[in-house]
């Protein structure tokens, strides 16, 4: 199944949560924070959204930082994705 986002939406795949702290402590699944860094899988075409023209600035393959609880979680072919608006993307990681 292919997910094709519309308008200013972006499909991202969240990176794995850290299983260890910097000091080497192993975290349980319940204490792991939700990751905020994600990889862009698909990008919508942009266009007129809410009366304003939106130009898409992210591209497939970019690593981005998203708002912590933004978007809609979707599961396709056993893989979890998040669909967010481009405005929910805070930064591109270089």
């Amino acid at each position: 199944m292919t997910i094709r986002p519309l308008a200013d939406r972006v499909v991202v795949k969240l990176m794995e949560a850290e299983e260890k702290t910097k000091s080497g402590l192993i975290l349980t699944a319940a204490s792991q924070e939700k990751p905020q860094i994600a990889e862009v899988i698909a990008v919508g075409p942009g266009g007129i959204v809410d009366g304003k023209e939106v130009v898409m600035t992210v591209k497939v393959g970019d690593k981005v930082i998203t708002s912590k609880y933004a978007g809609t979680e979707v599961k396709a072919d056993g893989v979890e994705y998040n669909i967010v608006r481009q405005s929910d993307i805070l930064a591109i990681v270089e």
Side-chain angles (χ1 to χ4, degrees), residues 14-20 27 29 31-37:
L14 296 176
M15 306 298 272
E16 294 296 318
E18 292 292 323
E19 295 180 6
K20 285 186 180 182
L27 299 172
S31 65
Q32 294 173 1
E33 284 192 28
K34 182 177 177 181
Q36 290 178 270
I37 298 179

Side-chain angles (χ1 to χ4, degrees), residues 12-19 32-41 61-66 79-82 93:
V12 296
K13 181 180 175 189
L14 296 176
M15 306 298 272
E16 294 296 318
E18 292 292 323
E19 295 180 6
Q32 294 173 1
E33 284 192 28
K34 182 177 177 181
Q36 290 178 270
I37 298 179
E39 180 180 357
V40 175
I41 304 300
D62 281 348
K63 299 276 191 272
V64 296
I65 298 174
T66 61
V79 180
E80 288 189 23
Y81 299 102
N82 241 9
V93 179

Side-chain angles (χ1 to χ4, degrees), residues 3 11-12 14 34-35 68-76 79-84:
I3 300 173
V11 178
V12 296
L14 296 176
K34 182 177 177 181
K68 194 170 235 179
Y69 298 105
T72 302
E73 294 179 0
V74 176
K75 194 170 194 176
V79 180
E80 288 189 23
Y81 299 102
N82 241 9
I83 300 175
V84 298

Side-chain angles (χ1 to χ4, degrees), residues 40-60:
V40 175
I41 304 300
V43 178
I48 305 296
V49 178
D50 297 330
K52 298 178 185 173
E53 185 171 356
V54 176
V55 177
M56 302 306 283
T57 56
V58 295
K59 60 185 181 305
V60 174

